[in-house]
Amino acid sequence: MTYDTPILTVDVVLLSLIEGTLHVGLVRRQADPYAGVLALPGGYIHTQTDQDTTDTARRVVADKAGLSNVFLEQLATVSGPDRDPRGWSATIVYYALVRGIPEQSPILWHALNDLVPLAFDHAALIRATMERLRSRGGWTTLPAFFLPPRFTFSELRGIYEAVLGQKLNDAAFRRKIDELGVISPIAGEKSKSTARPAQLYQLSSPEISLFNRAL
Amino acid sequence: MTYDTPILTVDVVLLSLIEGTLHVGLVRRQADPYAGVLALPGGYIHTQTDQDTTDTARRVVADKAGLSNVFLEQLATVSGPDRDPRGWSATIVYYALVRGIPEQSPILWHALNDLVPLAFDHAALIRATMERLRSRGGWTTLPAFFLPPRFTFSELRGIYEAVLGQKLNDAAFRRKIDELGVISPIAGEKSKSTARPAQLYQLSSPEISLFNRAL
DNA sequence: AAAATAGTGTCTGTGAGACAGTATCGC
DNA sequence: GCGATACTGTCTCACAGACACTATTTT
């Protein structure tokens, strides 16, 4: 006995920090269903070339957003008979953290606070990503992957505050991050135009690091 | 342009606490590929009946293990061209915590320490589940879902120790769990045959609860 | 009474938050 | 000098671990 095969896609929640607030990267759909509506960039698996769905996600980010070197991680797979009018569907959802501010690309960046209606259940997928981000942000170096390779302590604290949605104590944050040893200072300094320059740091590991305690 | 559709399945890592140690539930495969080899219970999505892949996983657990009322959560989706000899495949992996000791069922329970070779990449899926379990076990009530509805403090501490793989301080554990209010005492007591009876507790919420701090 | 497990009280060290104080830049 | 941001020192409070102590059962 055989069964109908579900529609299987890969969607990516593109996130970037633009002027201090988190933005999500969207595309306007060309074809039905939901033609003309904003949606997450996504696509089908190319079984000839993709070694896994992470490859698919990376290809989607490269082709539809023109971005490479993003931090990419699988969120979850969502499914159901009604989320796509064409039939029973499943989508493997990834989220990507874009380092710094992306320049020209076909991606439309929208602030997370006031989101317009999106195609499919993509609004819910973005909300789920934010929950994951807040959860992981409290005890990993994940928020640092929003930043360019070299950053100051203040910038690091700023992105943690943006991700966690709360102010953090400056001194305690420095002590904590310092003791964890997840970042290393660089000899050069940054010249903030208005005041005392700050020491530049880089991540000690190119991979995400876990803390033994929260925050 | 169309592409080959990947093979899409749902697999379940069944876990249970048997005599103080964690065991995984396996089935012996009837058909090729890997006929006769032990594997995780799994199956295809029934688009006629399943409302999502969680439904699929629940059906697999019911049909292949004869179990209901298990704690079920999605782990991840793994994929690739070589993990199934039939072609490019993806499997949505769930893990299920079986409350108490399962009696007669077609499932073969194996201790996690000495695992025999398994079909596909199922050994890796079990390892990934254990990592998730250890990670989530430190700051949620997840381990409690291995226990029957009514349990003692010692039993609760025991399952946390089994999941986390380390001894926990008795007094500190009681204080912590007590302050969090995630469990509630029941009027009846338990009569351990050998010594002082212990107060029975139940989870305050049927859902998994998160702690504000680890451990 | 002894053994065994359940549960509590108290001391101590660690670490986070608060916050004042010092350092180094542009103007 | 002043304003601004970067950093540091110190106090205090909360909490986890250690551990001795008490409680309640079976034998």
Side-chain angles (χ1 to χ4, degrees), chain B residues 16-166:
Chain B
S16 185
L17 186 75
I18 300 177
E19 289 167 14
T21 52
L22 291 175
H23 285 61
V24 61
L26 303 171
V27 294
R28 199 167 293 282
R29 285 184 60 84
Q30 303 297 318
D32 270 324
Y34 293 102
V37 180
L38 285 175
L40 297 175
Y44 294 103
I45 295 162
H46 293 190
T47 55
Q48 302 303 318
T49 58
D50 297 341
Q51 288 304 299
D52 53 28
T53 53
T54 306
D55 269 10
T56 309
R58 201 169 297 283
R59 185 170 49 71
V60 164
V61 172
D63 291 354
K64 299 213 173 178
L67 294 168
S68 56
N69 270 334
V70 297
F71 175 92
L72 199 61
E73 209 167 61
Q74 191 184 114
L75 176 72
T77 299
V78 297
S79 55
D82 301 322
R83 47 182 305 283
D84 187 322
R86 291 169 292 183
W88 215 102
S89 68
T91 183
I92 307 168
V93 185
Y94 284 79
Y95 60 94
L97 309 193
V98 180
R99 304 185 90 122
I101 300 163
E103 287 104 47
Q104 73 270 28
S105 89
I107 291 290
L108 305 163
W109 293 96
H110 278 66
L112 274 167
N113 354 357
D114 62 331
L115 268 185
V116 292
L118 301 184
F120 306 105
D121 50 3
H122 288 185
L125 302 186
I126 294 169
R127 279 195 298 274
T129 299
M130 291 313 299
E131 275 179 43
R132 170 77 67 91
L133 218 57
R134 265 190 288 276
S135 164
R136 300 260 289 167
W139 47 288
T140 69
T141 53
L142 188 144
F145 289 85
F146 277 113
L147 298 178
R150 291 143 46 90
F151 50 83
T152 67
F153 238 127
S154 297
E155 287 167 348
L156 186 65
R157 184 166 46 81
I159 184 61
Y160 270 88
E161 288 174 345
V163 166
L164 298 177
Q166 58 176 1

